[in-house]
């Protein structure tokens, strides 16, 4: 429980810090590497929930932005999928990204 609290506090801190960033602080982020990193961080939680994770990132490799922001979003979405799953079912988590005009969408 304290590990989760530490993670939540760190995530909130990152989000607060993001508000002080400007466009010049954006960096190129390897989305495939970032998703792998997040899944590795959540490995125990995913295993405990018997979760299956499917990734479909073939259409988007590099994104520009604040790495901590994207990491926080991915952690939040993945942990929510575990937390709010139907209790009698193992979660199936599908992480995908696709181009959307001059932007991209993570789903």
């Amino acid at each position: 429980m304290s590990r989760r609290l530490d993670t939540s506090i760190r995530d909130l801190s990152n989000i607060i810090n993001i508000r002080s960033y400007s466009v010049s602080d954006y960096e190129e982020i390897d989305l495939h590497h970032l998703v792998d990193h997040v899944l590795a961080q959540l490995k125990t939680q995913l295993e405990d929930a018997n979760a299956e994770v499917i990734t479909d990132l073939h259409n988007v490799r590099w994104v520009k932005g604040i790495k901590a922001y994207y990491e926080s979003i991915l952690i939040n979405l993945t942990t929510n999928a575990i937390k709010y799953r139907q209790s009698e079912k193992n979660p199936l988590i599908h992480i995908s990204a696709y181009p959307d005009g001059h932007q991209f969408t993570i789903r």
Side-chain angles (χ1 to χ4, degrees):
M1 174 93 143
S2 69
R3 189 176 102 218
R4 287 183 182 172
L5 181 59
D6 287 343
T7 300
S8 294
I9 291 170
R10 186 194 70 215
D11 292 344
L12 289 172
S13 175
N14 287 339
I15 290 169
I16 290 168
N17 289 334
I18 286 167
R19 293 179 186 196
S20 65
Y21 288 121
S22 69
V23 173
S24 64
D25 294 319
Y26 286 13
E27 60 183 296
E28 291 288 326
I29 302 161
D30 182 336
L31 188 60
H32 296 209
H33 178 74
L34 183 61
V35 168
D36 288 344
H37 174 72
V38 166
L39 295 176
Q41 280 184 290
L42 301 174
K43 181 180 178 181
T44 302
Q45 291 175 5
L46 291 165
E47 288 174 351
D48 289 348
N50 293 315
E52 179 182 354
V53 179
I54 298 170
T55 58
D56 179 12
L57 306 172
H58 300 291
N59 294 324
V60 178
R61 177 69 190 224
W62 295 95
V63 297
K64 193 166 187 166
I66 306 297
K67 186 176 179 180
Y69 181 66
Y70 288 114
E71 182 178 2
S72 177
I73 290 169
L74 289 168
I75 289 171
N76 187 292
L77 291 173
T78 306
T79 55
N80 281 347
I82 295 168
K83 184 177 180 180
Y84 297 111
R85 72 184 187 274
Q86 293 178 346
S87 60
E88 67 278 356
K89 292 186 177 183
N90 294 337
L92 172 60
I93 302 168
H94 189 159
I95 301 171
S96 62
Y98 56 90
D100 190 8
H102 294 291
Q103 302 174 9
F104 70 97
T105 299
I106 295 178
R107 195 173 71 143

